[in-house]
Amino acid sequence: MWLDLHNLTGIITMAWLLLVATTGAINTLHGPVSTSVRTAMSDEIRRRVAMTRAGRMDEVDRPGSIEAAIAAARGKVPAARVMSLLFPNAEISPSNHYVVLMKDGQMMTQELFYAVLIDAHTGGVSDVFEPTGVTKALLIAEPLHFPTTFPGLAPKLVWAFFDIVTIMVLVSGLYLWASKPGGRIQRKRSAK
């Protein structure tokens, strides 16, 4: 019976353990990758705007409406929520563009971020920068590894259930190993 229970719970928890181990390994890269992504995004924003708007890099005296810039950004990335807005001539924004920084609003992809360039002259969207495939994998791994990022009690109960089942697999495996023929428990019984 112990062997059957051990095998069944081991099969159930194998996928869980692989998910937690993989996302944990991916999370170790989160810090360096997020720093390099921010730097690369800022460089790419400047490079693209310089290429596409070379004739209109003049500074904007009176930029357009902030509300219109945010509305244009929401129109391009409707599922995302606005995190911040950079005015023209800010640290990473070009001299004639707003940069609207947004995060995804979905539960599984809540760590994904977007930068939307809004032309301060016209109020139109010039470009949308989104994470690459590798960056998406890194940002999605964090909420999968930590249950506290999900709202509500249900995900935390699922994590607790699988943690308890994993502990049961370990304990039953140790018991089976120790009680196998010729094992420590068998030798102690025969000695009595």
Side-chain angles (χ1 to χ4, degrees):
M1 179 183 131
W2 273 104
L3 181 61
D4 290 341
L5 180 64
H6 174 77
N7 289 339
L8 177 66
T9 54
I11 291 167
I12 291 171
T13 59
M14 181 59 73
W16 168 256
L17 290 172
L18 284 173
L19 173 75
V20 171
T22 304
T23 56
I26 290 171
N27 280 336
T28 61
L29 302 172
H30 188 272
V33 167
S34 64
T35 302
S36 67
V37 165
R38 281 191 203 106
T39 304
M41 183 183 293
S42 127
D43 294 344
E44 184 66 14
I45 288 171
R46 288 188 178 128
R47 187 185 70 75
R48 283 195 196 179
V49 171
M51 284 174 33
T52 58
R53 305 279 189 234
R56 294 187 49 207
M57 289 303 287
D58 56 319
E59 292 189 15
V60 178
D61 292 332
R62 297 189 60 181
S65 164
I66 294 171
E67 290 82 11
I70 291 174
R74 283 190 177 139
K76 271 301 199 193
V77 191
R81 63 188 190 280
V82 175
M83 299 306 290
S84 63
L85 180 131
L86 302 175
F87 286 92
N89 293 318
E91 185 179 340
I92 69 164
S93 64
S95 61
N96 62 346
H97 281 77
Y98 289 109
V99 178
V100 181
L101 300 172
M102 306 175 84
K103 271 197 166 184
D104 202 313
Q106 306 299 318
M107 184 165 49
M108 288 301 295
T109 56
Q110 64 187 348
E111 293 299 315
L112 297 182
F113 56 87
Y114 304 90
V116 183
L117 285 179
I118 308 293
D119 190 314
H121 292 288
T122 65
V125 175
S126 296
D127 212 344
V128 177
F129 300 96
E130 56 185 279
T132 62
V134 173
T135 308
K136 283 182 182 179
L138 289 169
L139 294 173
I140 289 173
E142 187 173 358
L144 284 175
H145 191 75
F146 300 107
T148 55
T149 58
F150 293 114
L153 184 61
K156 293 161 187 69
L157 291 176
V158 169
W159 259 262
F161 169 76
F162 278 111
D163 287 342
I164 290 168
V165 171
T166 301
I167 292 168
M168 285 176 45
V169 168
L170 292 172
V171 170
S172 65
L174 288 172
Y175 175 77
L176 289 168
W177 174 76
S179 65
K180 70 181 178 182
R184 295 182 68 183
I185 294 175
Q186 289 291 332
R187 273 188 254 130
K188 284 183 182 178
R189 285 183 186 159
S190 62
K192 291 182 180 180

